[in-house]
């Protein structure tokens, strides 16, 4: 197959408008060939779409995705207004009135949440209270809780993040079951490549040198087009 870079693909199109990258390995029914096909971010050109509006989402949920999203619920809050106990109250309401008990709870994201008990002029204590509240929430409701946090400014110059590259308080590590880092250099961003590494795990060994490389195209809503594992050497 042709593992082209985007600039190579665009250059080939200038020479031949009908040029299409080779996909023989991908179409080959023999698993020995098919499983080795890693594809390319520029496998084919797709017209970029405008971001979805709120009306588009509502129309999709109430239309063709209604049956698929029957067990899906969404709540929105303004920044610095949502507390862990607010989420708990919402879960109790769904369970009582809708007979709805989620298996997975996704929160976007903890940096714009507010603690159950606010401590004036103590950002570290407030952040720790949020983390403890979310941990308690996952334990009380036996739910897989997934959320995100932003990296610090030192992360902007690093190729791969470490346990030190998160905001404010290291005590967040005490409340997590697993931490996944999203790594991307400016060059990789241009090529639409993202690398995921495991920084912390309570159930498995930690090995940040083994990374999951994802080819992606966010313009069409595809976080993963193709993925494969790759090891890297730690830089001292």
């Amino acid at each position: 197959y042709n593992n082209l870079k985007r600039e190579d693909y665009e250059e080939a199109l200038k020479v031949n408008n009908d040029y299409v990258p080779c996909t023989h390995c991908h179409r080959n029914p023999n698993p020995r060939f098919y499983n080795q096909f890693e594809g390319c971010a520029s496998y084919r050109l797709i017209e970029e779409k405008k971001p979805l509006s709120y009306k588009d989402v509502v129309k999709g949920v109430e239309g063709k995705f209604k049956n698929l999203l029957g067990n899906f619920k969404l709540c929105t809050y303004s920044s610095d207004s949502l507390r862990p106990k607010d989420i708990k109250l919402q879960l109790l309401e769904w369970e009582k009135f809708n007979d709805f008990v989620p298996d997975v709870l996704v929160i976007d994201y903890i940096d714009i949440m507010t603690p159950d008990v606010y401590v004036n002029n103590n950002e570290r204590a407030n952040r720790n209270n949020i983390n403890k509240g979310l941990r308690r929430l996952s334990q009380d409701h036996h739910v897989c809780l997934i959320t995100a946090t932003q990296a610090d400014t030192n992360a902007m110059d690093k190729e791969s993040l470490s346990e030190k590259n998160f905001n404010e308080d290291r005590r967040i590590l005490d409340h997590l079951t697993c931490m996944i880092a999203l790594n991307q250099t400016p060059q990789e961003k241009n090529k639409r490549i993202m690398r995921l590494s495991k920084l912390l795990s309570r159930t498995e060994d930690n090995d940040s040198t083994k990374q999951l490389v994802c080819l992606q195209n966010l313009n069409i809503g595809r976080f993963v087009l193709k993925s494969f594992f790759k090891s890297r050497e730690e830089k001292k």
Side-chain angles (χ1 to χ4, degrees):
Y1 60 90
N2 285 338
N3 192 10
L4 293 174
K5 299 179 181 178
R6 171 166 287 277
E7 53 267 28
D8 295 333
Y9 182 72
E10 292 176 348
E11 189 65 28
L13 287 177
K14 293 179 182 179
V15 179
N16 181 5
N17 292 332
D18 296 327
Y19 175 78
V20 178
C22 171
T23 59
H24 173 77
C25 299
H26 188 59
R27 296 195 306 267
N28 195 313
N30 189 329
R32 184 170 66 87
F33 292 97
Y34 183 86
N35 293 335
Q36 294 179 359
F37 181 81
E38 295 183 355
C40 174
S42 300
Y43 164 66
R44 63 190 177 97
L45 291 179
I46 299 178
E47 183 180 355
E48 294 186 3
K49 305 294 183 181
K50 293 182 179 180
L52 291 177
S53 66
Y54 173 78
K55 292 182 178 180
D56 293 328
V57 176
V58 172
K59 183 178 179 180
V61 171
E62 295 178 348
K64 61 182 179 180
F65 295 113
K66 185 175 182 179
N67 294 332
L68 296 176
L69 300 178
N71 293 324
F72 172 84
K73 290 187 179 296
L74 172 68
C75 287
T76 58
Y77 301 82
S78 56
S79 297
D80 291 328
S81 66
L82 179 64
R83 302 167 297 179
K85 66 180 181 181
D86 295 326
I87 302 175
K88 181 178 181 67
L89 292 174
Q90 182 64 73
L91 294 178
L92 292 174
E93 179 181 326
W94 280 339
E95 182 177 359
K96 182 177 181 179
F97 296 104
N98 303 100
D99 195 26
F100 178 79
V101 180
D103 297 313
V104 180
L105 176 63
V106 181
I107 302 172
D108 183 25
Y109 53 103
I110 64 175
D111 300 308
I112 54 176
M113 291 183 64
T114 191
D116 290 331
V117 179
Y118 186 80
V119 181
N120 288 330
N121 300 321
N122 195 330
E123 186 64 29
R124 287 167 57 86
N126 291 329
R127 176 62 64 88
N128 191 51
N129 287 339
I130 294 174
N131 295 327
K132 289 194 297 183
L134 294 179
R135 179 67 178 178
R136 181 170 58 251
L137 188 67
S138 68
Q139 294 171 329
D140 291 345
H141 291 269
H142 305 288
V143 63
C144 175
L145 195 155
I146 302 173
T147 187
T149 184
Q150 293 181 341
D152 60 10
T153 55
N154 294 327
M156 299 177 67
D157 299 324
K158 298 191 65 175
E159 179 180 340
S160 296
L161 303 179
S162 70
E163 297 91 333
K164 299 179 180 179
N165 293 123
F166 49 81
N167 287 337
E168 300 298 338
D169 196 340
R170 66 150 302 279
R171 287 177 293 180
I172 187 176
L173 299 177
D174 301 332
H175 310 303
L176 296 176
T177 300
C178 183
M179 174 181 274
I180 303 295
L182 303 181
N183 307 296
Q184 189 177 59
T185 64
Q187 294 76 16
E188 289 172 331
K189 185 175 182 179
N190 292 333
K191 296 180 180 180
R192 304 178 184 183
I193 296 174
M194 176 74 76
R195 291 174 291 107
L196 281 66
S197 57
K198 182 171 60 179
L199 300 184
L200 170 71
S201 175
R202 293 176 182 265
T203 59
E204 300 176 343
D205 293 335
N206 301 328
D207 184 7
S208 60
T209 62
K210 187 176 182 180
Q211 299 186 343
L212 179 65
V213 181
C214 297
L215 306 181
Q216 56 183 214
N217 191 335
L218 301 183
N219 292 329
I220 59 172
R222 296 292 297 277
F223 178 75
V224 179
L225 295 170
K226 184 69 177 181
S227 64
F228 55 91
F229 279 106
K230 182 178 181 180
S231 297
R232 69 176 183 87
E233 295 182 0
E234 289 280 6
K235 294 185 177 180
K236 297 182 179 179

